[in-house]
Amino acid sequence: MIVKKEKLQTYLDKLGYTRTEFAAQRGVDVAEVNKMLSGEAVGYDTAKKFICHMKADRAQHYIDWSAIGADNPLEKDAEDSYENKTEDNAE
């Protein structure tokens, strides 16, 4: 997972969280938070904890979907696109 680093930094600043506090709340290593804030991909465990802690409906807005080459599965347009691709393949 790759997050929108500026948006995540703004979130941390708004709440007054340090990288260490943010990492501790999610049970991940500070190095993983540093990766997030540098625009690098983080591992599955960190991504899972990030999404679970923030809840998917909020986390989806922090994930950089274009950077990972995927559509946001929680957006209606993404669902419609998936359904259309599935229907096209069924023919």
Side-chain angles (χ1 to χ4, degrees):
M1 176 184 80
I2 299 173
V3 299
K4 297 174 183 173
K5 59 185 181 182
E6 293 86 6
K7 188 168 187 161
L8 181 58
Q9 185 63 62
T10 299
Y11 173 76
L12 295 179
D13 292 344
K14 180 180 174 183
L15 296 176
Y17 290 155
T18 65
R19 293 175 182 210
T20 303
E21 292 168 332
F22 187 71
Q25 284 184 341
R26 280 148 188 79
V28 300
D29 194 71
V30 176
E32 288 289 284
V33 174
N34 289 336
K35 282 182 177 181
M36 291 172 127
L37 294 169
S38 297
E40 297 176 50
V42 294
Y44 175 82
D45 187 55
T46 300
K48 180 180 173 183
K49 289 177 180 179
F50 177 82
I51 293 167
C52 287
H53 187 81
M54 290 192 86
K55 306 297 183 217
D57 62 328
R58 178 186 284 165
Q60 69 174 320
H61 301 292
Y62 289 86
I63 297 171
D64 191 340
W65 296 100
S66 61
I68 60 175
D71 290 330
N72 179 345
L74 300 177
E75 288 184 346
K76 182 170 176 21
D77 292 339
E79 289 176 19
D80 291 343
S81 175
Y82 175 76
E83 289 172 7
N84 290 335
K85 288 178 187 174
T86 304
E87 289 173 7
D88 291 343
N89 292 335
E91 294 177 358

Coordinates of all heavy atoms in Angstrom, one line a residue:
M1 N 0.8 -1.2 0.0 CA 0.0 0.0 0.0 C 0.9 1.2 0.0 O 1.9 1.3 0.7 CB -0.9 0.0 1.3 CG -1.8 1.2 1.4 SD -2.7 1.2 3.0 CE -1.4 1.8 4.1
I2 N 0.5 2.2 -0.7 CA 1.1 3.5 -0.8 C 0.1 4.5 -0.4 O -1.1 4.5 -0.9 CB 1.7 3.8 -2.2 CG1 2.8 2.8 -2.6 CG2 2.3 5.2 -2.2 CD1 3.3 2.9 -4.0
V3 N 0.4 5.4 0.5 CA -0.5 6.5 0.9 C -0.2 7.8 0.3 O 0.9 8.0 -0.2 CB -0.6 6.6 2.5 CG1 -1.1 5.3 3.1 CG2 0.7 7.1 3.0
K4 N -1.2 8.7 0.3 CA -0.9 10.1 -0.1 C -0.2 10.7 1.0 O -0.8 11.1 2.1 CB -2.3 10.8 -0.4 CG -3.0 10.1 -1.5 CD -4.4 10.8 -1.7 CE -5.2 10.1 -2.8 NZ -6.6 10.6 -2.8
K5 N 1.1 10.9 0.9 CA 2.0 11.3 2.0 C 1.6 12.7 2.5 O 1.6 12.9 3.8 CB 3.4 11.2 1.6 CG 3.8 12.1 0.4 CD 5.3 11.8 0.0 CE 5.6 12.7 -1.2 NZ 6.9 12.5 -1.6
E6 N 1.3 13.6 1.7 CA 0.9 15.0 2.2 C -0.4 14.9 3.0 O -0.5 15.6 4.0 CB 0.8 15.9 1.0 CG 2.1 16.2 0.3 CD 2.4 15.2 -0.9 OE1 1.5 14.4 -1.2 OE2 3.5 15.3 -1.4
K7 N -1.3 14.2 2.5 CA -2.6 14.1 3.2 C -2.4 13.4 4.6 O -3.0 13.9 5.6 CB -3.6 13.3 2.4 CG -5.0 13.3 2.9 CD -6.0 12.8 1.9 CE -7.4 13.0 2.5 NZ -8.4 13.0 1.5
L8 N -1.6 12.4 4.6 CA -1.3 11.7 5.9 C -0.6 12.6 6.8 O -0.9 12.7 8.0 CB -0.6 10.4 5.7 CG -0.3 9.6 7.0 CD1 -1.6 9.3 7.7 CD2 0.5 8.4 6.7
Q9 N 0.4 13.4 6.3 CA 1.1 14.3 7.2 C 0.2 15.4 7.7 O 0.3 15.8 8.9 CB 2.3 15.0 6.4 CG 3.1 15.8 7.3 CD 3.8 15.1 8.4 OE1 4.6 14.2 8.2 NE2 3.5 15.4 9.7
T10 N -0.7 15.9 6.9 CA -1.7 16.9 7.4 C -2.6 16.3 8.5 O -2.9 17.0 9.5 CB -2.6 17.3 6.2 OG1 -1.7 17.9 5.2 CG2 -3.6 18.3 6.6
Y11 N -3.0 15.0 8.3 CA -3.8 14.3 9.4 C -3.0 14.2 10.7 O -3.5 14.6 11.7 CB -4.1 12.9 8.8 CG -4.8 12.0 9.8 CD1 -6.2 12.2 10.1 CD2 -4.1 11.0 10.4 CE1 -6.8 11.4 11.0 CE2 -4.8 10.1 11.3 CZ -6.1 10.3 11.6 OH -6.7 9.5 12.5
L12 N -1.7 13.9 10.6 CA -0.9 13.8 11.8 C -0.7 15.1 12.5 O -0.8 15.3 13.7 CB 0.5 13.2 11.5 CG 0.5 11.7 11.0 CD1 1.9 11.3 10.7 CD2 -0.1 10.8 12.0
D13 N -0.5 16.1 11.6 CA -0.3 17.5 12.2 C -1.6 18.0 12.8 O -1.5 18.6 13.9 CB 0.1 18.5 11.1 CG 1.5 18.2 10.5 OD1 2.3 17.5 11.1 OD2 1.7 18.7 9.4
K14 N -2.7 17.7 12.2 CA -4.0 18.2 12.8 C -4.3 17.5 14.1 O -4.8 18.2 15.0 CB -5.1 17.8 11.8 CG -6.5 18.2 12.3 CD -7.6 17.8 11.2 CE -9.0 18.0 11.8 NZ -10.0 17.6 10.8
L15 N -3.9 16.3 14.3 CA -4.1 15.6 15.5 C -3.0 15.8 16.5 O -3.1 15.3 17.7 CB -4.4 14.1 15.3 CG -5.7 13.8 14.5 CD1 -5.8 12.3 14.2 CD2 -6.9 14.3 15.2
G16 N -1.9 16.3 16.1 CA -0.7 16.6 16.9 C 0.0 15.3 17.2 O 0.7 15.2 18.3
Y17 N 0.0 14.3 16.3 CA 0.7 13.0 16.5 C 2.1 13.1 15.9 O 2.3 13.7 14.8 CB 0.0 11.9 15.8 CG -1.3 11.5 16.3 CD1 -2.2 10.8 15.5 CD2 -1.6 11.6 17.7 CE1 -3.5 10.4 16.0 CE2 -2.9 11.2 18.2 CZ -3.8 10.6 17.3 OH -5.0 10.2 17.8
T18 N 3.0 12.6 16.7 CA 4.4 12.4 16.1 C 4.3 11.0 15.3 O 3.4 10.2 15.5 CB 5.4 12.3 17.2 OG1 5.2 11.1 18.0 CG2 5.4 13.5 18.1
R19 N 5.4 10.8 14.6 CA 5.5 9.5 13.9 C 5.5 8.4 14.8 O 4.9 7.3 14.6 CB 6.7 9.5 13.0 CG 6.6 10.5 11.8 CD 7.9 10.6 11.0 NE 7.7 11.6 10.0 CZ 8.3 11.6 8.8 NH1 9.1 10.6 8.5 NH2 8.1 12.5 7.9
T20 N 6.2 8.6 15.9 CA 6.3 7.5 17.0 C 4.9 7.2 17.6 O 4.6 6.0 17.8 CB 7.3 8.0 18.0 OG1 8.6 8.3 17.4 CG2 7.5 6.9 19.1
E21 N 4.2 8.2 17.9 CA 2.8 8.0 18.5 C 1.9 7.3 17.5 O 1.2 6.4 17.8 CB 2.2 9.4 18.9 CG 2.9 10.0 20.0 CD 2.5 11.5 20.3 OE1 2.1 12.2 19.3 OE2 2.6 11.9 21.4
F22 N 2.0 7.8 16.2 CA 1.1 7.2 15.2 C 1.5 5.7 15.0 O 0.6 4.8 14.9 CB 1.3 7.9 13.9 CG 0.4 7.5 12.7 CD1 -0.9 7.8 12.8 CD2 0.9 6.8 11.6 CE1 -1.7 7.5 11.7 CE2 0.1 6.5 10.6 CZ -1.2 6.8 10.6
A23 N 2.8 5.4 15.0 CA 3.2 4.0 14.9 C 2.8 3.2 16.1 O 2.3 2.0 15.9 CB 4.7 3.9 14.7
A24 N 2.9 3.7 17.3 CA 2.5 3.0 18.5 C 1.1 2.7 18.5 O 0.6 1.6 18.9 CB 2.9 3.8 19.7
Q25 N 0.2 3.6 18.1 CA -1.2 3.4 18.1 C -1.6 2.3 17.1 O -2.6 1.6 17.4 CB -1.9 4.7 17.6 CG -2.0 5.7 18.7 CD -2.8 6.9 18.2 OE1 -3.1 7.1 17.0 NE2 -3.3 7.7 19.2
R26 N -0.9 2.1 16.1 CA -1.2 1.1 15.1 C -0.4 -0.2 15.3 O -0.6 -1.2 14.6 CB -0.9 1.6 13.7 CG -2.1 2.5 13.2 CD -1.8 3.6 12.3 NE -2.9 4.5 12.1 CZ -3.4 5.4 13.0 NH1 -2.7 5.6 14.1 NH2 -4.4 6.1 12.7
G27 N 0.5 -0.2 16.2 CA 1.3 -1.4 16.5 C 2.3 -1.7 15.4 O 2.5 -2.9 15.1
V28 N 2.8 -0.7 14.7 CA 3.8 -0.9 13.7 C 5.1 -0.2 14.0 O 5.1 0.6 14.9 CB 3.2 -0.4 12.3 CG1 2.0 -1.1 11.9 CG2 3.0 1.1 12.3
D29 N 6.1 -0.5 13.3 CA 7.4 0.1 13.5 C 7.4 1.5 12.9 O 6.8 1.8 11.9 CB 8.5 -0.8 12.8 CG 9.9 -0.4 13.2 OD1 10.2 -0.7 14.3 OD2 10.6 0.2 12.3
V30 N 8.2 2.4 13.5 CA 8.3 3.7 13.1 C 8.9 3.8 11.7 O 8.5 4.7 10.9 CB 9.2 4.6 14.0 CG1 9.4 6.0 13.5 CG2 8.5 4.7 15.4
A31 N 9.7 2.8 11.3 CA 10.3 2.8 10.0 C 9.2 2.6 8.9 O 9.3 3.2 7.8 CB 11.3 1.6 9.8
E32 N 8.1 1.9 9.2 CA 7.0 1.8 8.3 C 6.2 3.1 8.2 O 5.8 3.5 7.1 CB 6.0 0.7 8.8 CG 6.5 -0.7 8.6 CD 6.6 -1.2 7.2 OE1 5.6 -1.5 6.6 OE2 7.7 -1.2 6.6
V33 N 6.1 3.9 9.2 CA 5.4 5.2 9.2 C 6.3 6.1 8.3 O 5.8 6.9 7.5 CB 5.2 5.8 10.6 CG1 4.7 7.2 10.5 CG2 4.2 4.9 11.3
N34 N 7.6 6.0 8.5 CA 8.5 6.8 7.7 C 8.4 6.5 6.2 O 8.5 7.4 5.4 CB 10.0 6.6 8.2 CG 10.3 7.3 9.5 OD1 9.6 8.2 9.9 ND2 11.2 6.8 10.2
K35 N 8.2 5.2 5.9 CA 8.0 4.8 4.5 C 6.7 5.5 4.0 O 6.7 6.0 2.9 CB 7.9 3.3 4.4 CG 9.2 2.6 4.4 CD 8.8 1.1 4.2 CE 10.0 0.2 4.2 NZ 9.6 -1.2 4.0
M36 N 5.7 5.4 4.8 CA 4.4 6.0 4.4 C 4.6 7.5 4.1 O 4.1 7.9 3.0 CB 3.3 5.8 5.5 CG 2.9 4.5 5.7 SD 1.8 4.5 7.2 CE 0.4 3.7 6.5
L37 N 5.2 8.2 4.9 CA 5.4 9.6 4.8 C 6.4 10.0 3.8 O 6.6 11.2 3.4 CB 5.7 10.2 6.1 CG 4.5 10.1 7.1 CD1 4.9 10.6 8.5 CD2 3.3 11.0 6.6
S38 N 7.1 9.0 3.2 CA 8.1 9.2 2.1 C 7.5 8.8 0.8 O 8.2 8.9 -0.2 CB 9.4 8.4 2.4 OG 10.0 8.9 3.5
G39 N 6.3 8.3 0.8 CA 5.6 7.9 -0.4 C 6.1 6.5 -0.9 O 5.8 6.1 -2.0
E40 N 6.7 5.7 0.0 CA 7.1 4.3 -0.3 C 6.0 3.4 0.1 O 5.1 3.6 0.9 CB 8.3 4.0 0.5 CG 9.5 4.8 0.1 CD 10.7 4.5 1.0 OE1 11.1 3.3 1.1 OE2 11.3 5.4 1.6
A41 N 6.0 2.2 -0.6 CA 5.1 1.1 -0.2 C 5.4 0.5 1.1 O 6.6 0.4 1.5 CB 5.1 0.0 -1.3
V42 N 4.4 0.2 1.8 CA 4.5 -0.5 3.1 C 4.0 -1.9 3.0 O 3.3 -2.3 2.0 CB 3.8 0.2 4.3 CG1 4.4 1.6 4.5 CG2 2.3 0.3 4.0
G43 N 4.4 -2.8 3.9 CA 4.1 -4.2 3.9 C 2.6 -4.4 4.2 O 1.9 -3.6 4.7
Y44 N 2.2 -5.7 4.0 CA 0.8 -6.1 4.2 C 0.4 -5.9 5.6 O -0.7 -5.3 5.8 CB 0.7 -7.6 3.8 CG -0.7 -8.2 4.1 CD1 -1.8 -8.0 3.3 CD2 -0.9 -8.9 5.3 CE1 -3.0 -8.5 3.5 CE2 -2.2 -9.3 5.6 CZ -3.2 -9.2 4.7 OH -4.5 -9.6 5.0
D45 N 1.2 -6.2 6.6 CA 0.8 -6.1 8.0 C 0.5 -4.6 8.4 O -0.5 -4.3 9.0 CB 1.9 -6.7 8.9 CG 1.5 -6.7 10.4 OD1 0.4 -7.3 10.6 OD2 2.2 -6.2 11.2
T46 N 1.4 -3.7 7.9 CA 1.2 -2.3 8.2 C 0.0 -1.8 7.5 O -0.8 -1.1 8.1 CB 2.4 -1.5 7.7 OG1 3.6 -2.0 8.4 CG2 2.3 0.0 8.0
A47 N -0.2 -2.2 6.2 CA -1.4 -1.8 5.5 C -2.7 -2.2 6.2 O -3.6 -1.5 6.3 CB -1.4 -2.3 4.1
K48 N -2.7 -3.5 6.6 CA -3.9 -4.0 7.3 C -4.2 -3.3 8.6 O -5.3 -2.9 8.8 CB -3.6 -5.5 7.6 CG -4.8 -6.2 8.3 CD -4.4 -7.7 8.5 CE -5.5 -8.3 9.4 NZ -5.1 -9.7 9.7
K49 N -3.1 -3.0 9.4 CA -3.3 -2.3 10.6 C -3.8 -0.8 10.4 O -4.6 -0.3 11.1 CB -2.1 -2.3 11.4 CG -1.8 -3.7 12.0 CD -0.5 -3.8 12.8 CE -0.3 -5.2 13.3 NZ 1.0 -5.3 14.1
F50 N -3.3 -0.2 9.3 CA -3.7 1.1 9.0 C -5.1 1.2 8.6 O -5.9 2.0 9.1 CB -2.8 1.6 7.8 CG -3.2 3.0 7.3 CD1 -2.7 4.1 7.9 CD2 -3.9 3.2 6.2 CE1 -3.0 5.4 7.4 CE2 -4.3 4.4 5.7 CZ -3.8 5.5 6.3
I51 N -5.6 0.3 7.8 CA -7.0 0.2 7.3 C -7.9 -0.1 8.5 O -8.9 0.5 8.7 CB -7.1 -0.7 6.1 CG1 -6.4 -0.1 4.9 CG2 -8.6 -0.9 5.8 CD1 -6.2 -1.1 3.8
C52 N -7.5 -1.1 9.3 CA -8.3 -1.5 10.4 C -8.5 -0.4 11.4 O -9.6 -0.2 11.9 CB -7.8 -2.8 11.1 SG -8.0 -4.3 10.1
H53 N -7.4 0.3 11.7 CA -7.5 1.4 12.7 C -8.3 2.6 12.2 O -9.1 3.1 13.0 CB -6.0 1.8 13.1 CG -6.0 2.7 14.2 ND1 -6.1 2.3 15.5 CD2 -5.9 4.1 14.3 CE1 -6.0 3.4 16.3 NE2 -5.9 4.4 15.6
M54 N -8.1 2.9 11.0 CA -8.8 4.1 10.5 C -10.2 3.8 10.0 O -11.0 4.7 9.8 CB -8.0 4.7 9.3 CG -6.7 5.4 9.7 SD -6.0 6.4 8.4 CE -6.9 7.9 8.7
K55 N -10.4 2.5 9.7 CA -11.7 2.0 9.1 C -11.6 2.3 7.6 O -11.1 3.4 7.2 CB -12.9 2.6 9.7 CG -13.0 2.4 11.2 CD -13.1 1.0 11.6 CE -13.2 0.9 13.1 NZ -12.5 -0.2 13.7
A56 N -12.0 1.4 6.8 CA -11.9 1.4 5.4 C -12.5 2.7 4.8 O -12.0 3.3 3.8 CB -12.5 0.2 4.7
D57 N -13.7 3.1 5.3 CA -14.3 4.3 4.7 C -13.5 5.5 4.8 O -13.6 6.4 3.9 CB -15.7 4.5 5.3 CG -15.8 4.7 6.8 OD1 -14.9 4.2 7.5 OD2 -16.7 5.5 7.2
R58 N -12.6 5.6 5.8 CA -11.8 6.8 5.9 C -10.4 6.5 5.3 O -9.9 7.3 4.6 CB -11.5 7.2 7.4 CG -10.6 8.4 7.5 CD -10.2 8.7 8.9 NE -11.3 9.4 9.6 CZ -11.4 9.6 10.9 NH1 -10.5 9.1 11.7 NH2 -12.4 10.2 11.4
A59 N -9.9 5.3 5.5 CA -8.6 5.0 5.0 C -8.5 5.1 3.4 O -7.5 5.4 2.9 CB -8.2 3.6 5.4
Q60 N -9.6 4.7 2.8 CA -9.6 4.8 1.3 C -9.2 6.1 0.7 O -8.6 6.2 -0.3 CB -11.0 4.4 0.8 CG -12.1 5.5 1.1 CD -13.4 5.2 0.4 OE1 -13.4 4.7 -0.7 NE2 -14.5 5.5 1.2
H61 N -9.4 7.2 1.5 CA -9.1 8.5 1.0 C -7.6 8.8 1.2 O -7.1 9.8 0.6 CB -9.9 9.6 1.7 CG -11.4 9.4 1.5 ND1 -12.0 9.5 0.3 CD2 -12.4 8.9 2.3 CE1 -13.3 9.2 0.4 NE2 -13.6 8.9 1.6
Y62 N -6.9 8.0 2.0 CA -5.5 8.2 2.2 C -4.6 7.3 1.3 O -3.4 7.6 1.1 CB -5.1 8.0 3.7 CG -5.7 9.1 4.6 CD1 -7.0 9.0 5.1 CD2 -4.9 10.1 4.9 CE1 -7.5 10.0 5.9 CE2 -5.4 11.2 5.7 CZ -6.7 11.1 6.2 OH -7.2 12.1 7.0
I63 N -5.2 6.3 0.7 CA -4.5 5.4 -0.1 C -4.3 6.0 -1.5 O -5.3 6.5 -2.1 CB -5.2 4.0 -0.2 CG1 -5.3 3.4 1.2 CG2 -4.5 3.1 -1.2 CD1 -6.2 2.1 1.2
D64 N -3.1 5.9 -2.0 CA -2.8 6.5 -3.4 C -3.1 5.4 -4.4 O -2.2 4.6 -4.7 CB -1.4 6.9 -3.4 CG -1.1 7.8 -4.7 OD1 -1.8 7.6 -5.7 OD2 -0.1 8.5 -4.7
W65 N -4.3 5.3 -4.8 CA -4.8 4.2 -5.7 C -4.0 4.2 -7.0 O -3.7 3.1 -7.5 CB -6.3 4.2 -5.9 CG -7.0 4.0 -4.6 CD1 -7.6 5.0 -3.8 CD2 -7.2 2.8 -3.9 NE1 -8.1 4.4 -2.7 CE2 -7.9 3.0 -2.7 CE3 -6.9 1.4 -4.3 CZ2 -8.3 2.0 -1.9 CZ3 -7.3 0.4 -3.4 CH2 -8.0 0.7 -2.2
S66 N -3.8 5.4 -7.6 CA -3.1 5.4 -8.9 C -1.7 5.0 -8.7 O -1.1 4.3 -9.6 CB -3.2 6.8 -9.4 OG -2.5 7.8 -8.6
A67 N -1.0 5.2 -7.6 CA 0.4 4.8 -7.4 C 0.5 3.3 -7.3 O 1.5 2.8 -7.7 CB 0.9 5.5 -6.1
I68 N -0.6 2.6 -6.8 CA -0.5 1.2 -6.8 C -1.2 0.5 -8.0 O -1.2 -0.7 -8.1 CB -1.1 0.6 -5.5 CG1 -2.6 1.0 -5.3 CG2 -0.3 1.1 -4.3 CD1 -3.2 0.4 -4.1
G69 N -1.6 1.4 -8.9 CA -2.2 0.8 -10.1 C -3.5 0.1 -10.0 O -3.8 -0.9 -10.6
A70 N -4.3 0.6 -9.0 CA -5.6 -0.1 -8.8 C -6.7 0.9 -8.6 O -6.5 2.1 -8.4 CB -5.5 -0.9 -7.5
D71 N -7.9 0.5 -8.9 CA -9.1 1.3 -8.6 C -9.5 1.1 -7.2 O -9.3 0.1 -6.6 CB -10.3 0.9 -9.5 CG -10.1 1.2 -11.0 OD1 -9.4 2.1 -11.3 OD2 -10.6 0.4 -11.8
N72 N -10.1 2.2 -6.6 CA -10.6 2.1 -5.3 C -11.9 1.3 -5.3 O -12.9 1.6 -5.9 CB -10.9 3.5 -4.8 CG -11.5 3.6 -3.4 OD1 -11.9 2.5 -2.8 ND2 -11.5 4.7 -2.8
P73 N -11.8 0.1 -4.7 CA -13.0 -0.8 -4.7 C -14.2 -0.3 -3.9 O -15.3 -0.8 -4.1 CB -12.5 -2.1 -4.1 CG -11.3 -1.7 -3.2 CD -10.7 -0.5 -3.9
L74 N -14.0 0.8 -3.1 CA -15.1 1.3 -2.3 C -15.9 2.4 -3.0 O -16.9 2.9 -2.5 CB -14.6 1.8 -1.0 CG -13.9 0.7 -0.1 CD1 -13.4 1.3 1.2 CD2 -14.9 -0.5 0.2
E75 N -15.3 2.9 -4.2 CA -16.0 3.9 -4.9 C -17.0 3.3 -5.8 O -16.8 2.3 -6.5 CB -15.0 4.8 -5.7 CG -14.2 5.7 -4.8 CD -13.3 6.6 -5.6 OE1 -13.1 6.3 -6.8 OE2 -12.8 7.5 -5.0
K76 N -18.1 3.9 -6.0 CA -19.2 3.4 -6.9 C -18.7 3.3 -8.3 O -19.0 2.3 -9.0 CB -20.4 4.3 -6.9 CG -21.5 3.8 -7.7 CD -22.8 4.5 -7.5 CE -23.9 4.1 -8.4 NZ -23.9 2.8 -9.0
D77 N -17.9 4.3 -8.8 CA -17.4 4.2 -10.2 C -16.5 3.0 -10.3 O -16.5 2.3 -11.4 CB -16.6 5.4 -10.6 CG -17.5 6.7 -10.7 OD1 -18.8 6.5 -10.8 OD2 -17.0 7.8 -10.6
A78 N -15.7 2.6 -9.3 CA -14.9 1.5 -9.4 C -15.7 0.2 -9.4 O -15.4 -0.7 -10.2 CB -13.9 1.4 -8.2
E79 N -16.8 0.2 -8.7 CA -17.7 -1.0 -8.6 C -18.3 -1.2 -10.0 O -18.4 -2.3 -10.5 CB -18.7 -0.9 -7.6 CG -18.2 -1.0 -6.2 CD -19.2 -0.8 -5.1 OE1 -20.4 -0.8 -5.4 OE2 -18.8 -0.5 -4.0
D80 N -18.8 -0.1 -10.6 CA -19.4 -0.1 -11.9 C -18.5 -0.6 -12.9 O -18.8 -1.4 -13.8 CB -20.0 1.2 -12.3 CG -21.2 1.6 -11.4 OD1 -21.8 0.7 -10.8 OD2 -21.5 2.8 -11.4
S81 N -17.2 -0.1 -12.9 CA -16.2 -0.5 -13.8 C -15.9 -2.0 -13.7 O -15.8 -2.7 -14.7 CB -14.9 0.3 -13.5 OG -13.9 -0.1 -14.4
Y82 N -15.8 -2.5 -12.5 CA -15.6 -3.9 -12.2 C -16.7 -4.7 -12.8 O -16.5 -5.7 -13.5 CB -15.4 -4.2 -10.8 CG -15.2 -5.7 -10.5 CD1 -14.1 -6.3 -10.7 CD2 -16.3 -6.4 -9.9 CE1 -13.9 -7.7 -10.5 CE2 -16.2 -7.8 -9.7 CZ -15.0 -8.4 -10.0 OH -14.9 -9.7 -9.8
E83 N -18.0 -4.3 -12.5 CA -19.1 -5.1 -13.0 C -19.2 -5.1 -14.5 O -19.5 -6.1 -15.1 CB -20.4 -4.5 -12.4 CG -20.6 -4.7 -10.9 CD -21.7 -4.0 -10.3 OE1 -22.5 -3.4 -11.1 OE2 -21.9 -4.1 -9.1
N84 N -18.8 -4.0 -15.1 CA -18.8 -3.9 -16.6 C -17.8 -4.8 -17.2 O -18.0 -5.5 -18.2 CB -18.7 -2.5 -17.1 CG -19.9 -1.6 -16.8 OD1 -21.0 -2.1 -16.7 ND2 -19.7 -0.3 -16.7
K85 N -16.6 -4.8 -16.6 CA -15.5 -5.7 -17.1 C -15.9 -7.2 -16.9 O -15.7 -8.0 -17.8 CB -14.2 -5.4 -16.3 CG -13.6 -4.1 -16.6 CD -12.3 -3.9 -15.8 CE -11.8 -2.5 -16.1 NZ -10.6 -2.2 -15.2
T86 N -16.6 -7.5 -15.8 CA -17.0 -8.9 -15.6 C -18.1 -9.3 -16.6 O -18.0 -10.3 -17.1 CB -17.6 -9.0 -14.1 OG1 -16.6 -8.6 -13.2 CG2 -17.9 -10.4 -13.8
E87 N -19.0 -8.4 -16.9 CA -20.0 -8.7 -17.8 C -19.5 -8.8 -19.2 O -19.9 -9.7 -20.0 CB -21.1 -7.5 -17.8 CG -22.0 -7.6 -16.6 CD -22.9 -6.4 -16.5 OE1 -23.0 -5.6 -17.4 OE2 -23.5 -6.2 -15.4
D88 N -18.5 -8.0 -19.6 CA -17.8 -8.0 -20.9 C -17.1 -9.4 -21.0 O -17.1 -10.0 -22.1 CB -16.8 -6.9 -21.1 CG -17.5 -5.6 -21.2 OD1 -18.7 -5.5 -21.5 OD2 -16.8 -4.5 -21.0
N89 N -16.5 -9.9 -20.0 CA -15.8 -11.1 -20.0 C -16.7 -12.3 -20.1 O -16.3 -13.4 -20.6 CB -14.8 -11.3 -18.8 CG -13.7 -10.3 -18.9 OD1 -13.3 -9.8 -20.0 ND2 -13.2 -9.9 -17.7
A90 N -17.9 -12.2 -19.6 CA -18.9 -13.3 -19.6 C -19.5 -13.5 -21.0 O -20.0 -14.6 -21.2 CB -20.0 -13.0 -18.6
E91 N -19.4 -12.6 -21.9 CA -20.0 -12.7 -23.2 C -19.3 -13.6 -24.1 O -18.2 -14.0 -24.1 CB -20.2 -11.4 -23.9 CG -21.2 -10.5 -23.1 CD -21.3 -9.1 -23.7 OE1 -20.6 -8.8 -24.7 OE2 -22.1 -8.3 -23.2

